[in-house]
Amino acid sequence: MSDNMGTAIIELNDSGHCCRNSKGEVFVSPGYAFLTNKGIDTGDIARLKSYLSPQQSFNQFWRQLSLSPLAHSTNKVRHNGDLAFQQLLDLHKELGHPNEVIFAIPGSFDREQLSIILGLIQATPFKSIGFVDSAVAAVSQLKFTEKSNSKKYLVHLDIQLHQIVFTRLLVSEHYKERVHVEVVPDVGLKNFYDDWAKYIANKFIQEYRYDPLHTAKGEQQLYNLLPGWIKELCAKKEVTIVLDSPQGNYQLILNLDDLLTRNNEKIAQLKQKFSAIVLEGDLLFASHRTRLLPGLTEQLGKFHILPENSAVLGCLQHLNDIKQDHEDIFLVTKIANQDLSAVEEFSQSPENTPTHVLYQNTALAIGKILYISTHGTLLAFSQGRATKTFLSYKNGNVYLTTKEIDLAKKHQNNPLRIGESIAIRSQSFQLIEVI
């Protein structure tokens, strides 16, 4: 069904463009393109077959957006702009053919690339009515509870397919404004996943003499399954992974700590950039996409993870600041604060208190008290059934009370912090904040 009357929002980020139509329906489409006999496929359709024919697959066209001819251009694709244009058309179609679109755009795009995006949009059947910096939009909903005329600085971290973007923002009583951007190349989502895929392949070689990266089909299978394995590892430190092969099914135990050691060089590179942009007293925020890389933010600092689709929701809250009725659209990098009840309050405590536990991909509210028990090999959580192990709030902090000797030694009487993992026998859960 067409939805021509509404305004849609697209947050450009090639690790997953986040799109929302006027009905509130949201979908995510990664920045992949695949050449076929009929034309160009984009998004998940392209990603899920990208390793079957690598010469027909593209995934750097947003980062390297330009109108320069490709080394192997065809009658279908002359330059990266053609690939980006096709994905814009596909996103517009999936959104229900809206007449107007607002774009949230990361600070990694330079002036020339922004001009190219504008030119591509002018050739589409829809009209862009606003460009806004995605980091500014993402933090625009935060309302600080401390009443102070002094200025504050935030650092926002976001991850793309091939790079990470740090954005420094000034927060005053009246507005939030982008003041500096640092891009760290070659440390994006795909770079981490490539390292992990090689590590996993080597484990299969050592255990079964089977190399999943040796064939296109095996490589595609591994990369298709990898995001799900990583998601599981966010909830527990070990998972059993299974791959199909011509000889049958092979399985291994995958350990999160082993994966993280593969990224020491990339983490060191990030820390160097991080220390250059972050000053003492800065508040640290990260997009929900950083959860795709477990352990990343914990190795850099005490980040507050923003809710999913924060940039899109920020656009909705500040349409009047972003919307532009003239042809010469400019990038909005400064948004006025609004006194809205829907705005999320944020206390400027240096160490925010956990609000939920994350266990097997499910977030469970701690509330006033959350009881923990074992059910077979799994953990069970309840706010009504009393047990000897539980989490509770006291004086603004979350504490663990338990009779388990090992747990008591490590956690008893110590306030728990966001990002901490607690292991109970063979299971573990993570303390998180849901804003």
Side-chain angles (χ1 to χ4, degrees):
M1 180 181 292
S2 180
D3 184 22
N4 292 325
M5 300 304 294
T7 297
I9 297 170
I10 298 176
E11 180 192 5
L12 290 180
N13 183 311
D14 57 7
S15 69
H17 303 302
C18 184
C19 309
R20 183 189 190 276
N21 63 22
S22 62
K23 298 177 183 177
E25 299 165 336
V26 177
F27 67 90
V28 174
S29 179
Y32 280 78
F34 191 90
L35 300 186
T36 70
N37 293 331
K38 296 181 179 179
I40 306 170
D41 290 335
T42 66
D44 272 321
I45 295 174
R47 179 182 66 84
L48 292 173
K49 55 185 178 182
S50 57
Y51 291 93
L52 297 178
S53 298
Q55 291 184 339
Q56 297 171 254
S57 178
F58 301 85
N59 57 58
Q60 300 217 35
F61 55 94
W62 283 106
R63 183 180 73 138
Q64 299 175 351
L65 185 62
S66 76
L67 302 181
S68 301
L70 292 173
H72 302 287
S73 59
T74 70
N75 59 345
K76 297 174 186 173
V77 179
R78 300 159 298 167
H79 42 63
N80 285 330
D82 286 336
L83 298 170
F85 178 72
Q86 182 60 51
Q87 184 153 41
L88 288 176
L89 292 179
D90 290 343
L91 296 179
H92 178 244
K93 180 180 179 180
E94 195 165 351
L95 282 166
H97 303 283
N99 288 333
E100 299 177 335
V101 179
I102 284 176
F103 284 88
I105 299 178
S108 52
F109 284 112
D110 60 28
R111 188 181 296 273
E112 181 180 351
Q113 290 175 319
L114 289 173
S115 296
I116 291 173
I117 294 172
L118 271 174
L120 296 177
I121 291 170
Q122 287 171 358
T124 66
F126 62 85
K127 177 183 178 183
S128 175
I129 58 169
F131 277 16
V132 62
D133 180 273
S134 55
V136 173
V139 304
S140 65
Q141 297 182 93
L142 297 174
K143 182 172 68 176
F144 294 85
T145 55
E146 287 192 358
K147 301 297 183 182
S148 172
N149 293 325
S150 63
K151 295 178 179 178
K152 309 174 184 68
Y153 287 91
L154 313 180
V155 173
H156 177 270
L157 182 159
D158 204 359
I159 185 162
Q160 301 173 9
L161 263 186
H162 302 281
Q163 58 194 14
I164 278 178
V165 182
F166 289 111
T167 305
R168 196 157 194 261
L169 302 107
L170 169 64
V171 178
S172 75
E173 183 181 357
H174 302 293
Y175 60 86
K176 297 179 180 74
E177 180 179 18
R178 186 183 86 182
V179 295
H180 184 63
V181 176
E182 284 281 351
V183 179
V184 191
D186 303 320
V187 287
L189 183 66
K190 190 175 185 303
N191 306 111
F192 280 90
Y193 280 17
D194 285 346
D195 287 347
W196 293 344
K198 291 174 186 175
Y199 167 73
I200 293 169
N202 286 334
K203 289 201 69 171
F204 276 103
I205 292 171
Q206 293 169 8
E207 185 73 23
Y208 301 106
R209 295 186 180 179
Y210 168 64
D211 183 2
L213 301 183
H214 182 67
T215 66
K217 186 177 179 181
E219 188 173 20
Q220 187 67 63
Q221 180 190 190
L222 194 159
Y223 273 93
N224 287 353
L225 293 172
L226 184 58
W229 296 337
I230 301 305
K231 188 176 181 180
E232 282 191 73
L233 285 171
C234 289
K236 49 187 178 181
K237 287 197 171 184
E238 281 192 349
V239 296
T240 300
I241 63 174
V242 180
L243 282 181
D244 295 332
S245 79
Q247 292 74 38
N249 290 345
Y250 293 138
Q251 69 177 36
L252 290 172
I253 301 296
L254 192 59
N255 184 280
L256 176 60
D257 291 335
D258 290 340
L259 280 187
L260 294 180
T261 59
R262 307 292 132 188
N263 306 128
N264 289 338
E265 188 176 332
K266 290 182 175 62
I267 294 299
Q269 186 180 353
L270 279 174
K271 285 182 176 178
Q272 185 177 3
K273 281 287 188 180
F274 182 72
S275 62
I277 192 173
V278 177
L279 302 178
E280 185 176 354
D282 287 353
L283 298 172
L284 308 180
F285 292 86
S287 82
H288 66 282
R289 281 176 280 266
T290 56
R291 290 197 178 103
L292 300 171
L293 294 177
L296 173 66
T297 55
E298 291 83 353
Q299 295 181 71
L300 295 177
K302 295 184 182 298
F303 277 87
H304 309 285
I305 308 299
L306 291 168
E308 195 167 354
N309 312 327
S310 286
V312 169
L313 296 175
C315 290
L316 289 173
Q317 294 283 10
H318 296 272
L319 281 175
N320 291 336
D321 291 315
I322 300 168
K323 203 169 180 180
Q324 299 166 49
D325 296 325
H326 45 81
E327 291 296 325
D328 297 326
I329 290 179
F330 62 91
L331 180 67
V332 174
T333 58
K334 179 178 179 179
I335 285 182
N337 294 330
Q338 295 181 7
D339 187 17
L340 298 174
S341 59
V343 172
E344 296 286 352
E345 287 197 1
F346 176 78
S347 172
Q348 200 182 195
S349 167
E351 295 181 305
N352 258 20
T353 303
T355 62
H356 291 62
V357 301
L358 182 65
Y359 178 64
Q360 292 195 336
N361 303 325
T362 300
L364 303 150
I366 297 171
K368 292 183 179 179
I369 188 167
L370 183 65
Y371 295 103
I372 307 167
S373 59
T374 55
H375 184 71
T377 59
L378 301 176
L379 297 179
F381 298 85
S382 170
Q383 291 183 336
R385 183 182 173 188
T387 62
K388 294 180 180 180
T389 299
F390 56 88
L391 299 170
S392 60
Y393 275 103
K394 183 179 179 182
N395 297 326
N397 289 307
V398 172
Y399 292 88
L400 175 70
T401 302
T402 181
K403 298 293 184 181
E404 299 270 356
I405 296 175
D406 291 339
L407 286 175
K409 286 180 180 177
K410 185 174 181 180
H411 298 289
Q412 196 85 320
N413 300 321
N414 294 321
L416 301 175
R417 299 303 179 201
I418 294 166
E420 282 192 74
S421 291
I422 296 178
I424 299 179
R425 298 175 190 177
S426 63
Q427 298 289 303
S428 66
F429 60 87
Q430 187 179 18
L431 292 158
I432 64 171
E433 178 185 23
V434 178
I435 300 178

